[in-house]
Amino acid sequence: MLQITREKEPYLADLEARRVAGAVSPAWVRTLRERGATGFRELRFPNTHDEDWKYTSVAPILGVPFRTAAEPGVVDPAVLAPLTYGTTRRARLVFVDGHYVPSLSSTEGLASRVLATSLATLAGNTSVTAERHLGHYARPDTHVFTALNTALLDDGAVVVVPAGTILEAPIQLLFVSSDREQPTGSHPRVLIVVGRGAEATVVETHAALGSAPSFANAVAEIMVGEGAGLTYYKVVRDGAACFHVGTTQVQQERDSRFTSFAITLGGPLVRNDLNVALDAEGAECTLNGLYLTAGGDHVDNHTFVDHARPHGTSREVYKGVLDGSSRAVFNGKVFVRPGANGTDAQQTNRNLLLSNDAHVDTKPQLEIFADDVRCTHGAAIGQLDDEMIFYLNSRGMSDDTARRLLTYGFAGEVLEAMGVAEVRATLDDVLAARLAARRS
């Protein structure tokens, strides 16, 4: 049954404008868009009566008539410097308001066999690779936001690392919302395919450059081939009027390794869904997360680790530092399917509340339908230890310095695990600045 509601009207107008414009695209892309449009019309937006959205209302997003940008806004390259982590000789794809901007991008230092480009420029064999994977993991019939992203699919980042290729430097994907007067939406799309035995690191960053309301509805699909390894960073650095809903769908083959760092630096409403399917024997994933919230921020992290085959291993550590009247949500589920014997899964969520008005809802889950498994989970919510503060005071530290040191030590576990030094240093500075501003 079609679900046509008032909240869908701006997006339906975008779909109609796309149809009238008749953009030239391969037949398979048009088919995929049609699947997305059908899904968007049939599915409804979630509300707090849905279990997965119990603590997060999308009403603030639906209350603003966001219109999809038909072309990229103008961005000063100097403004992007803080978002590129101090790297110079790096492959970098930059998208402004959802559109690829070659003049801001670079493929310097990229191995010749590696593909890093925009979806709109694909042709020939590279298009065949995208067709084989795009829309197969994040299916448009499962969720309304994924359906909307697919229906408005126009451009996106495509990274294909051939079998046996070892990338020494990370590939950066930067998605920014430009400074516009009107509320603007974008629907970033990412496809990453890592071939058999290959190794790569991808750093995906989302940021808003303006003060007007903006909405990024992002979808990433990742396939890690047999014996391959991928380290994937997703950093959300949106501003005070910027909404972000992101879905990352990961498919792992035999003996593959996937490591992620999900870093969220606040926002009025940020929702991150990370779903990992360990769909072959011996697959391993490590999920790291850090979210910093203040003021009236609302950040919701949902993770789903699907142990579908025997002898899979997953490790998950998510940490939150909450200040002001901000709110955070963590819902992590580990699902062990029948026959997935030998599964080894650990999940931890810890939250540090710097304010009496901050609030977190945490729900770690295990669902096990197999024998011979080792699975644990746990969650903790607390404030700084007065005894530790007193101890540091007795060693000559001021109260503020002691609190900053203890808070940094709490968050540092996630930052220290980062292998890309430039990203780690930048986030180090952000955390230090946040803590200094709190007491200034």
Side-chain angles (χ1 to χ4, degrees):
M1 182 177 69
L2 295 182
Q3 296 289 328
I4 306 299
T5 62
R6 179 180 56 81
E7 291 85 357
K8 289 186 177 182
E9 289 176 359
Y11 307 108
L12 293 172
D14 288 338
L15 290 176
E16 178 62 16
R18 176 69 55 79
R19 186 192 66 80
V20 172
V24 178
S25 302
W28 69 270
V29 173
R30 295 196 301 271
T31 299
L32 186 56
R33 282 198 202 113
E34 291 168 2
R35 287 174 52 203
T38 298
F40 179 67
R41 290 187 174 95
E42 292 181 348
L43 297 168
R44 63 173 176 79
F45 284 111
N47 57 53
T48 54
H49 295 293
D50 299 312
E51 185 61 30
D52 283 346
W53 293 81
K54 182 177 180 180
Y55 302 111
T56 299
S57 170
V58 297
I61 297 175
L62 303 183
V64 180
F66 292 106
R67 294 301 303 271
T68 304
E71 58 185 20
V74 177
V75 172
D76 183 349
V79 176
L80 301 181
L83 304 173
T84 56
Y85 310 106
T87 57
T88 53
R89 298 176 60 84
R90 292 285 194 271
R92 180 171 65 246
L93 305 181
V94 178
F95 295 77
V96 178
D97 300 324
H99 300 273
Y100 178 59
V101 182
S103 62
L104 299 175
S105 305
S106 171
T107 56
E108 188 174 4
L110 191 65
S112 59
R113 297 178 61 229
V114 176
L115 176 69
T117 188
S118 77
L119 177 63
T121 64
L122 289 180
N125 291 334
T126 56
S127 183
V128 170
T129 301
E131 181 180 359
R132 184 181 305 131
H133 296 284
L134 199 67
H136 288 256
Y137 310 120
R139 293 171 46 199
D141 59 348
T142 58
H143 196 283
V144 66
F145 285 108
T146 300
L148 177 60
N149 177 286
T150 306
L152 293 172
L153 181 63
D154 183 38
D155 206 348
V158 177
V159 176
V160 179
V161 184
T165 303
I166 309 297
L167 292 186
E168 300 296 335
I171 296 173
Q172 293 193 41
L173 310 177
L174 177 56
F175 297 89
V176 297
S177 299
S178 65
D179 190 1
R180 294 175 180 257
E181 294 182 359
Q182 301 299 322
T184 303
S186 62
H187 305 272
R189 190 74 176 222
V190 173
L191 173 65
I192 302 171
V193 179
V194 184
R196 180 176 181 177
E199 299 279 346
T201 298
V202 175
V203 181
E204 177 184 330
T205 303
H206 296 261
L209 305 179
S211 57
S214 66
F215 170 44
N217 173 34
V219 174
E221 295 177 282
I222 298 172
M223 199 286 288
V224 189
E226 181 178 345
L230 174 66
T231 300
Y232 171 72
Y233 294 71
K234 181 180 177 182
V235 183
V236 177
R237 302 182 62 172
D238 286 337
C242 307
F243 303 96
H244 183 97
V245 174
T247 297
T248 302
Q249 195 76 37
V250 183
Q251 189 80 8
Q252 291 189 241
E253 296 189 348
R254 185 183 182 94
D255 297 326
S256 62
R257 301 169 311 284
F258 174 74
T259 301
S260 76
F261 292 89
I263 311 298
T264 304
L265 304 179
L269 198 164
V270 178
R271 166 75 177 226
N272 295 308
D273 281 27
L274 174 56
N275 308 310
V276 183
L278 286 72
D279 203 22
E281 190 168 349
E284 302 176 5
C285 75
T286 302
L287 311 183
N288 305 284
L290 177 64
Y291 41 99
L292 308 178
T293 64
D297 292 344
H298 183 108
V299 174
D300 183 344
N301 284 289
H302 268 60
T303 66
F304 180 74
V305 180
D306 186 357
H307 284 270
R309 302 286 183 242
H311 305 295
T313 302
S314 64
R315 297 288 184 268
E316 182 173 6
V317 176
Y318 267 63
K319 287 191 165 187
V321 179
L322 289 74
D323 204 351
S325 58
S326 63
R327 183 166 185 171
V329 181
F330 174 81
N331 191 158
K333 178 185 287 188
V334 174
F335 189 81
V336 183
R337 295 184 182 274
N341 297 330
T343 291
D344 185 352
Q346 296 178 14
Q347 180 190 84
T348 303
N349 175 233
R350 299 191 182 111
N351 298 277
L352 179 61
L353 306 183
L354 302 181
S355 163
N356 290 332
D357 296 323
H359 181 85
V360 62
D361 294 287
T362 179
K363 185 181 178 183
Q365 295 176 267
L366 294 176
E367 291 191 27
I368 303 171
F369 299 94
D371 299 322
D372 186 25
V373 300
R374 293 195 303 170
C375 298
T376 63
H377 69 223
I381 303 170
Q383 297 181 315
L384 292 173
D385 189 334
D386 289 338
E387 291 187 5
M388 289 298 299
I389 295 174
F390 178 78
Y391 173 80
L392 294 175
N393 289 159
S394 70
R395 294 301 186 269
M397 278 192 190
S398 69
D399 215 45
D400 288 350
T401 300
R403 290 179 179 278
R404 287 199 297 268
L405 180 64
L406 292 172
T407 303
Y408 179 84
F410 174 83
E413 179 184 359
V414 175
L415 299 180
E416 289 171 4
M418 294 180 171
V420 181
E422 297 95 332
V423 179
R424 183 174 65 247
T426 297
L427 297 177
D428 235 7
D429 292 343
V430 170
L431 177 59
R434 288 281 187 91
L435 298 178
R438 184 175 186 270
R439 294 297 176 182
S440 62

